[in-house]
């Protein structure tokens, strides 16, 4: 087992699979990276209890300038191996497995000999039924994750809420996340006859979106009973699915409102940011929005620090006068997820959740924030 390859290109693949490798695992071999030299090229695999990533650096990849003399497989301690490759002196390095699972790594005048593990002991990746799959562009999937992933719960008390709920029915893909205080839902049309209802851990999806190198590459999403596979030309990304029933969030989104205001997204976000400077210093992280026909006022009061008040610019406003209080961080996160320049905010009452939607009609995207009762 011997190969010579360009260090920077190999390092890109190694960094990708390292996203799935944890130093805190009860299975010692999973602290390592599995390396397979085959007639296709170099396969790298990293895994933990939540995700597994396998990449392929193809033998004929011109950027890698690979020279493979023999095939084989080995497992090396990932963190230590990565540090060695990162610090090698030359542009190319040679990787050779010698006797007793030892690995010799040479580059220029530097030579390392490290102990490896038998790859036969590395857990096998699950077999996914390729019939149950749907395709989309990597950029679209990454956008979907960014638009919803921030709203997943960070608390394990309700594990199902730490994931993003994906459903596909009648060619309509819906992704929704909620931590019970806020909700983000994005829908888009996919040309697929497949139907599914799954919940994927939010942390897994964040790592997936970070692993894409090309937004235009096609991602195949294949589903089994307790696993999902995202497959690109050179990467297999496996994630476990969360067990349990996701709450019926569709009934939470109101279809009527009594007050509506339209803002420029950037201006509103900047005003919320200013108001939160004081709210963060107080015991209660709350700001208040007061709306009437003549003006919209944003205010924050921290007895320990002081008071802030700002009259907001708006595009239009209509409906009943309203005073509502909310967590400014939720509002900032929501606004950050939009790409549209103008945002409609719909209110029903001071104690009912309000929604944010892009003014553009060709984007099915809605966010919901629960207000804070102040009396």
């Amino acid at each position: 087992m011997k190969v010579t390859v360009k260090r920077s290109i190999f390092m890109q693949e190694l960094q990708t699979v390292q996203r799935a490798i944890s130093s805190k695992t009860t299975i010692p071999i999973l602290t390592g990276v599995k390396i397979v030299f085959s007639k296709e090229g170099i396969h790298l695999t990293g895994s933990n209890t939540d995700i597994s990533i396998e990449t392929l650096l193809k033998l004929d990849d011109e950027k890698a300038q690979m020279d493979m003399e023999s095939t084989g497989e080995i497992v090396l301690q990932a963190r230590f191996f990565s540090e060695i490759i990162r610090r090698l002196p030359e542009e190319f390095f040679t990787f050779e497995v010698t006797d007793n699972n030892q690995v010799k790594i040479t580059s220029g005048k530097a030579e390392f000999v490290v102990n490896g593990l038998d790859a036969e002991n590395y857990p096998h990746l699950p077999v996914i039924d390729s019939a149950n799959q749907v395709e989309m562009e990597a950029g679209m999937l990454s956008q979907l994750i960014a638009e919803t992933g921030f709203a997943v719960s960070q608390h394990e008390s309700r594990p199902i809420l730490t994931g993003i709920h994906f459903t596909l029915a009648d060619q309509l893909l819906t992704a929704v996340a909620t931590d019970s205080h806020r909700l983000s839902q994005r829908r888009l049309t996919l040309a697929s006859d497949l139907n599914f209802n799954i919940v994927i851990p939010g942390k897994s999806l964040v790592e997936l979106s970070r692993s894409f190198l090309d937004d235009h590459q096609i991602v195949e999403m294949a589903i089994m009973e307790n696993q999902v596979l995202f497959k690109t030309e050179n990467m297999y990304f496996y994630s476990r699915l969360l067990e349990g029933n996701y709450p019926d969030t569709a009934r939470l989104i109101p279809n009527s409102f009594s007050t509506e205001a339209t803002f420029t997204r950037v201006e509103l976000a900047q005003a919320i940011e200013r108001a939160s400077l004081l709210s963060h210093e107080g015991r209660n992280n709350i700001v208040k929005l007061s709306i009437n026909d003549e003006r919209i006022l944003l205010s924050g009061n921290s007895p320990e620090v002081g008071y802030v008040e700002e009259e907001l610019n708006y595009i239009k406003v209509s409906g009943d006068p309203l005073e509502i209080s909310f967590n400014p961080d939720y509002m900032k996160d929501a606004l950050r997820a939009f790409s549209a320049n103008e945002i409609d905010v719909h209110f029903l009452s001071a104690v009912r959740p309000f929604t944010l939607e892009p003014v553009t009609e060709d984007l099915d995207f809605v966010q919901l924030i629960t207000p804070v009762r102040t009396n």
Side-chain angles (χ1 to χ4, degrees), residues 191-222:
S192 172
D193 295 327
L194 192 65
N195 292 333
F196 58 73
N197 183 338
I198 58 174
V199 184
I200 307 174
K203 291 180 180 178
S204 298
L205 290 168
V206 169
E207 294 301 338
L208 171 66
S209 63
R210 290 172 177 167
S211 302
F212 294 139
L213 300 178
D214 177 8
D215 282 347
H216 298 293
Q217 65 185 324
I218 297 299
V219 182
E220 296 177 0
M221 179 180 177

Side-chain angles (χ1 to χ4, degrees), residues 140-154 161-167 173-179 182-188 200-203 205-206 209 246 249 333-334 336-338 364-368:
M140 174 56 71
L141 181 55
S142 292
Q143 184 179 347
L144 204 66
I145 294 167
E147 289 169 339
T148 56
F150 68 90
V152 302
S153 175
Q154 302 302 315
L161 296 186
T162 63
I164 300 178
H165 185 205
F166 285 87
T167 57
L173 177 68
T174 301
V176 61
T178 181
D179 61 4
R182 56 180 169 177
L183 177 149
S184 184
Q185 175 182 283
R186 177 76 160 90
R187 288 176 171 169
L188 57 91
I200 307 174
K203 291 180 180 178
L205 290 168
V206 169
S209 63
Y246 203 83
T249 55
D333 288 343
R336 199 176 294 123
F338 286 107
D364 193 342
F365 185 21
V366 60
Q367 298 196 56
L368 178 146

Side-chain angles (χ1 to χ4, degrees), residues 354-366:
F354 60 95
T355 61
L356 295 85
E357 297 181 65
V359 171
T360 176
E361 295 181 357
D362 61 351
L363 196 64
D364 193 342
F365 185 21
V366 60

Side-chain angles (χ1 to χ4, degrees), residues 83-209:
E83 291 301 320
I84 290 174
I85 302 301
R86 192 190 310 275
R87 287 171 168 76
L88 290 175
E90 300 291 340
E91 187 177 9
F92 289 84
F93 75 96
T94 298
F95 183 108
E96 181 180 7
V97 177
T98 59
D99 296 334
N100 301 319
N101 288 325
Q102 285 194 317
V103 175
K104 182 166 70 173
I105 302 166
T106 55
S107 178
K109 296 181 179 180
E111 178 177 301
F112 289 84
V113 176
V114 295
N115 296 323
L117 297 170
D118 189 343
E120 287 295 321
N121 297 323
Y122 197 87
H124 293 289
L125 296 180
V127 177
I128 301 288
D129 183 1
S130 59
N132 296 325
Q133 68 179 33
V134 62
E135 295 183 353
M136 69 184 84
E137 279 197 348
M140 174 56 71
L141 181 55
S142 292
Q143 184 179 347
L144 204 66
I145 294 167
E147 289 169 339
T148 56
F150 68 90
V152 302
S153 175
Q154 302 302 315
H155 303 290
E156 295 292 338
S157 55
R158 294 186 67 188
I160 197 73
L161 296 186
T162 63
I164 300 178
H165 185 205
F166 285 87
T167 57
L168 179 60
D170 299 324
Q171 298 191 339
L172 182 65
L173 177 68
T174 301
V176 61
T178 181
D179 61 4
S180 75
H181 299 290
R182 56 180 169 177
L183 177 149
S184 184
Q185 175 182 283
R186 177 76 160 90
R187 288 176 171 169
L188 57 91
T189 301
L190 284 183
S192 172
D193 295 327
L194 192 65
N195 292 333
F196 58 73
N197 183 338
I198 58 174
V199 184
I200 307 174
K203 291 180 180 178
S204 298
L205 290 168
V206 169
E207 294 301 338
L208 171 66
S209 63

